[in-house]
Amino acid sequence: MGSYGVHSAPNAGEGQHAVTTSDQFSGWTPIAEEAARATKVLHPDAHQLPRPAQRRILTVANQKGGVGKTTSTVNLAAALAIHGLKVLVIDLDPQGNASTALGVEHRSGTPSIYEVLIGEISVSDAAAVSSQSDNLYCVPATIDLAGAEIELVAMPNREGRLKEALSPESLDELRPDYVFIDCPPSLGLLTVNALVAAREVLIPIQCEYYALEGLGQLLRNIELVQAHLNPTLDVSTILLTMYDGRTKLADQVTSEVRSHFGDHVLKTVIPRSVKVSEAPGFGQTVLAYDPGSRGAMSYLDAGRELAIRGTQMERT
Ligand code: ATP
Ligand code: MG
């Protein structure tokens, strides 16, 4: 993984591994394809997902900005929630984008992850049910969180405060099957808290030229956390996002990431899609905003893959 420390020009062999969700509909007319996708998204009962034996806590991290952390967090969370799994999203980014996309109030003064981190309230006190699903909860982030990175420095157990807040006892009331923590684009104390609190890291990687830049730094930080603060932390999942099938480059990045990370990379690749980027503007996930879109279908597929791989990991 050494090559991730520097700018890495993708050059691996020509995308033979690229899988997009549209493959399963080859030969269909566009209308039939869209209708079939919408049916799958709107009636997921026929495709039940396994409930994990143990709660899964995943930190969605990549200090590179705009790679799809928040988009992947909220849409994977929604995909699992519409299958009946109970999901809690922790918005750990002062930008509050995950709260927006999940239709959860996050004006300054709203009970939020900031009050949880400074020990004033519990996670269940701060969790609000998302407008997107009754199974989906979100602890919002308000602008108050912007100062937390500095305030935490002087606090006792500064790296372990989120872990404490997410203890099994604290989650007794909500009992989520999945917890996703959406990180800010930095490797500061908030992200360290997220890495200490989780068992798994999910890294979204954007299929573009500079995608791999900075990944080495992220992996080194994860190793430091493993060595000193959270020995069981595991980079379990890599998700390729914003894949543009018209470019060779996207295939090259896909191949390079797969050759380095192997089975950790989900087979489902999230396509670049206008619908995905429009959805948060309506306080919605893409699954609700346009269930017949390729973006919705791909997040549904990625959620299913994540859930099924989880039960396979439990067995090994
Ligand atoms: P930040 O580092 O600022 O927190 P991020 O890593 O959370 O960013 P997002 O906010 O999820 O990234 O995505 C960045 C931008 O790209 C957003 O405007 C989002 O709507 C858009 N976007 C994300 N995924 C897709 C996609 N598959 N297709 C099109 N646009 C996308
Ligand atoms: Mg974000």
Side-chain angles (χ1 to χ4, degrees):
M1 293 182 193
S3 68
Y4 290 111
V6 289
H7 164 71
S8 170
N11 57 4
E14 304 287 311
Q16 63 273 39
H17 303 294
V19 175
T20 63
T21 49
S22 56
D23 291 347
Q24 55 196 287
F25 299 115
S26 66
W28 293 42
T29 66
I31 291 174
E33 188 180 321
E34 192 169 331
R37 280 196 297 256
T39 305
K40 272 188 146 181
V41 174
L42 294 170
H43 305 287
D45 289 352
H47 316 274
Q48 271 304 337
L49 291 184
R51 197 172 291 278
Q54 273 191 355
R55 173 172 306 135
R56 292 178 71 184
I57 305 185
L58 296 103
T59 279
V60 182
N62 189 337
Q63 81 278 19
K64 198 169 154 51
V67 297
K69 292 182 287 297
T70 302
T71 305
S72 300
T73 299
V74 299
N75 288 298
L76 287 173
L80 296 168
I82 62 172
H83 282 92
L85 297 167
K86 204 165 179 189
V87 187
L88 172 64
V89 169
I90 308 283
D91 190 348
L92 202 58
D93 185 346
Q95 298 179 99
N97 295 153
S99 315
T100 304
L102 292 174
V104 166
E105 181 64 65
H106 64 107
R107 269 182 299 200
S108 180
T110 310
S112 71
I113 194 63
Y114 173 72
E115 288 80 10
V116 173
L117 286 172
I118 61 171
E120 275 182 4
I121 58 173
S122 72
V123 158
S124 22
D125 290 338
V129 67
S130 163
S131 60
Q132 301 300 287
S133 161
D134 290 346
N135 290 326
L136 183 49
Y137 290 78
C138 173
V139 176
T142 66
I143 194 65
D144 299 328
L145 190 62
E149 199 89 59
I150 294 167
E151 283 176 58
L152 283 172
V153 174
M155 289 189 182
N157 188 24
R158 62 184 178 186
E159 295 103 348
R161 298 189 75 88
L162 185 60
K163 182 185 171 73
E164 210 176 302
L166 293 177
S167 69
E169 303 76 52
S170 319
L171 290 174
D172 242 10
E173 216 174 294
L174 287 172
R175 294 184 180 279
D177 299 303
Y178 281 81
V179 179
F180 288 93
I181 307 169
D182 183 30
C183 288
S186 84
L187 291 171
L189 212 36
L190 286 173
T191 299
V192 171
N193 262 268
L195 293 172
V196 171
R199 175 72 173 67
E200 300 175 52
V201 188
L202 185 157
I203 306 178
I205 297 179
Q206 190 181 345
C207 298
E208 53 111 89
Y209 194 57
Y210 294 109
L212 309 179
E213 206 173 59
L215 212 49
Q217 185 66 40
L218 174 62
L219 294 170
R220 276 193 293 282
N221 277 42
I222 291 171
E223 279 167 22
L224 281 173
V225 171
Q226 286 165 331
H228 301 287
L229 298 162
N230 184 6
T232 56
L233 184 66
D234 178 33
V235 180
S236 67
T237 313
I238 311 280
L239 176 62
L240 290 157
T241 65
M242 294 183 240
Y243 175 88
D244 185 344
R246 293 166 305 183
T247 67
K248 250 186 174 177
L249 180 62
D251 273 350
Q252 289 170 343
V253 173
T254 303
S255 296
E256 191 175 1
V257 170
R258 289 199 191 285
S259 70
H260 274 83
F261 291 100
D263 287 348
H264 296 286
V265 189
L266 291 189
K267 288 199 176 62
T268 308
V269 172
I270 308 301
R272 184 175 280 284
S273 131
V274 174
K275 299 291 180 185
V276 171
S277 58
E278 282 174 354
F282 295 86
Q284 289 186 335
T285 67
V286 72
L287 281 82
Y289 177 64
D290 189 349
S293 64
R294 286 170 64 227
M297 187 71 226
S298 64
Y299 273 114
L300 193 76
D301 285 344
R304 182 176 304 122
E305 225 188 314
L306 186 74
I308 291 169
R309 284 159 45 109
T311 46
Q312 286 162 351
M313 270 158 43
E314 278 164 9
R315 278 191 227 114
T316 54

